[in-house]
Amino acid sequence: MVRSPHPPRRHRPGRPPRLRTLSRGSYPEYRRIAGILRKETVGGGLLLVTTAVALAWANSPWQSAYFALRDLHVGFAPWRLELSLGEWAADGLLAIFFFVAGLELKREFVAGDLRRPASAIVPVVAACGGVALPAALFTLINLPSGGGSLRGWAVPTATDIAFALAVLAVISTHLPAALRTFLLTLAVVDDLLAIGIIALFYTDEINLAALGLALLPLAAFTWLVQRRVRAWYVLVPLALATWALVHASGIHATVAGVLLAFAVPVHRSEQAGGPGAGPGLAEHFEHRLRPISAGVAVPLFAFFSAGVALGGLHGIAAALADPVAIGVVVGLVVGKSLGVFGATWLATKSRHAELAPGLAWIDVFGLSVLAGVGFTVALLVAELGFGPGSAHDEHAKVAILTGSLAAAVLAAVVLRVRNRHYRRLAARERTSA
């Protein structure tokens, strides 16, 4: 445990103690989140590998084979399920990703440390700031162009938790655990905001009949999980039917993942001992599916989405000259960092709170810059906004890679300095022990 270089403030008699923000939280919650972070960090490494493979293949002499594989159509056309492999990855595999994110978010707000409004308000407000400012900056940059370019306003709003945690794992060994917990919570709320944006703003037409039919398997799934049924051979077909009908309705199919996740109970039933008897069904499903999400679903999506024919330095320069690309880079690097940091600062000050002992605002700023590492959801929104393979989509993907890399490098510079600071404190504590 690293001690603070400054003693905590003592409140005056008769006054309530100042609230603490970005604190470590309870020990059971800390252990649970530490396990999540380890899995997501491994997933981030796989994400880096598949992205590198996709980029190398798409810019090699064999690039035609990559694009032919990505655009290969398989499925059943009468059910509107004849999709390319790239679309299967975006619509199908990412539904698993959003299912896990939905489970995590529900558990945090029902049974985790965020069930207390005083603890939840700061990361929620920070996530909202990290969505609003990048979207505003992108819109301002692309207003003169107008037209279809404005459909990409949501591209720079999402944080990729796997990539961000992979960067954090490489550059830090002594940073306080509260920072990692804050980043995870921020990214989970960010994912929920992203799926709301996709459902509201990137749905052109809705087939009400298919959407109504989707409620039937969803209701059956809800009824069974509320009775703590775990039989995969019953639940998986209902989940697939819900996904297929939501997809047929015109709403992006990943929304089905969140709806199914919110149906899963967090606490154990009274017959099984109640909340204090151990992990509930939501945590059970999350434990089973997170390795599939982080290790298979997201890396495969990245493999089919990140392959962009860059065209050498001239092609990269031409892509980054597009206002869409400029808006994405500025949104990720400037908008995310200032949005998250500014919203955190305002939320803390408005609540008359202070940072937990041992933390400094430069730590929060470094984490805010790291939130600009956007990838998985950003790639998805670019495809939904501009259409797969379009010029704006290709330019947006180049900008996502460029902006995420720039944010990772800038965050590494800040957080490595802070990591050395905390390493010295830990060494001083061991010496004085």
Side-chain angles (χ1 to χ4, degrees):
M1 183 77 179
V2 177
R3 293 173 182 165
S4 169
H6 306 290
R9 297 179 185 177
R10 295 181 179 177
H11 66 279
R12 296 178 183 177
R15 290 187 180 182
R18 290 173 66 87
L19 295 171
R20 298 269 172 78
T21 188
L22 269 73
S23 57
R24 173 171 167 170
S26 62
Y27 182 66
E29 191 69 5
Y30 165 74
R31 288 189 60 188
R32 190 184 70 83
I33 288 179
I36 292 174
L37 294 176
R38 284 192 294 271
K39 292 174 183 175
E40 292 290 355
T41 301
V42 172
L46 292 172
L47 198 57
L48 286 169
V49 171
T50 53
T51 300
V53 170
L55 283 171
W57 193 356
N59 291 275
S60 72
W62 307 279
Q63 61 179 216
S64 59
Y66 170 82
F67 294 112
L69 177 65
R70 185 194 67 184
D71 298 333
L72 177 65
H73 279 69
V74 294
F76 189 59
W79 290 1
R80 295 185 60 183
L81 289 177
E82 187 178 10
L83 309 175
S84 69
L85 293 182
E87 290 171 333
W88 276 111
D91 293 5
L93 292 178
L94 282 193
I96 301 173
F97 166 78
F98 279 110
F99 180 76
V100 173
L103 290 173
E104 171 62 22
L105 186 70
K106 183 176 181 180
R107 195 206 171 281
E108 281 296 321
F109 280 96
V110 172
D113 286 339
L114 296 186
R115 69 186 183 278
R116 297 183 295 272
S119 300
I121 188 66
V122 174
V124 170
V125 170
C128 291
V131 169
L133 188 56
L137 290 176
F138 180 95
T139 302
L140 286 173
I141 290 171
N142 283 273
L143 265 179
S145 305
S149 62
L150 290 175
R151 282 188 58 82
W153 65 271
V155 173
T157 60
T159 297
D160 192 292
I161 184 60
F163 257 145
L165 289 175
V167 173
L168 196 60
V170 170
I171 64 179
S172 70
T173 54
H174 290 79
L175 289 174
L179 292 177
R180 292 178 173 84
T181 302
F182 180 74
L183 179 63
L184 176 64
T185 306
L186 174 75
V188 169
V189 178
D190 194 289
D191 288 337
L192 181 65
L193 293 173
I195 201 67
I197 289 171
I198 290 170
L200 291 174
F201 298 101
Y202 290 93
T203 299
D204 296 325
E205 295 181 6
I206 298 180
N207 184 329
L208 293 177
L211 188 60
L213 287 173
L215 296 177
L216 299 178
L218 177 61
F221 181 91
T222 303
W223 186 81
L224 289 170
V225 294
Q226 288 295 324
R227 282 152 183 77
R228 277 61 177 184
V229 173
R230 300 188 181 191
W232 66 268
Y233 49 85
V234 176
L235 297 179
V236 170
L238 290 172
L240 289 175
T242 304
W243 174 87
L245 288 166
V246 169
H247 179 273
S249 75
I251 298 175
H252 199 266
T254 51
V255 174
V258 177
L259 295 176
L260 290 164
F262 284 173
V264 179
V266 170
H267 294 303
R268 283 182 174 237
S269 64
E270 292 300 325
Q271 293 85 348
L281 196 57
E283 191 168 346
H284 170 76
F285 285 169
E286 182 188 336
H287 177 73
R288 292 290 183 90
L289 289 176
R290 186 174 293 279
I292 298 174
S293 171
V296 179
V298 175
L300 278 178
F301 167 76
F303 172 77
F304 285 112
S305 295
V308 181
L310 300 175
L313 293 177
H314 176 73
I316 295 174
L320 293 177
D322 186 344
V324 166
I326 296 172
V328 170
V329 173
V330 172
L332 288 174
V333 179
V334 179
K336 269 292 185 181
S337 56
L338 295 184
V340 171
F341 181 82
T344 304
W345 187 85
L346 288 173
T348 301
K349 296 305 178 183
S350 65
R351 297 169 65 242
H352 303 289
E354 61 186 8
L355 289 179
L359 294 180
W361 280 107
I362 188 64
D363 299 325
V364 181
F365 179 73
L367 209 68
S368 302
V369 177
L370 188 58
V373 177
F375 194 75
T376 305
V377 179
L379 291 174
L380 174 62
V381 174
E383 291 186 357
L384 293 175
F386 302 124
S390 65
H392 281 328
D393 178 43
E394 298 294 307
H395 296 168
K397 288 181 178 180
V398 173
I400 291 166
L401 295 170
T402 304
S404 297
L405 179 61
V409 170
L410 291 173
V413 171
V414 175
L415 293 176
R416 281 188 73 86
V417 172
R418 296 302 296 167
N419 190 59
R420 287 196 294 269
H421 165 74
Y422 287 111
R423 185 187 296 119
R424 287 194 297 268
L425 287 180
R428 193 182 308 159
E429 185 176 84
R430 286 195 300 269
T431 303
S432 60

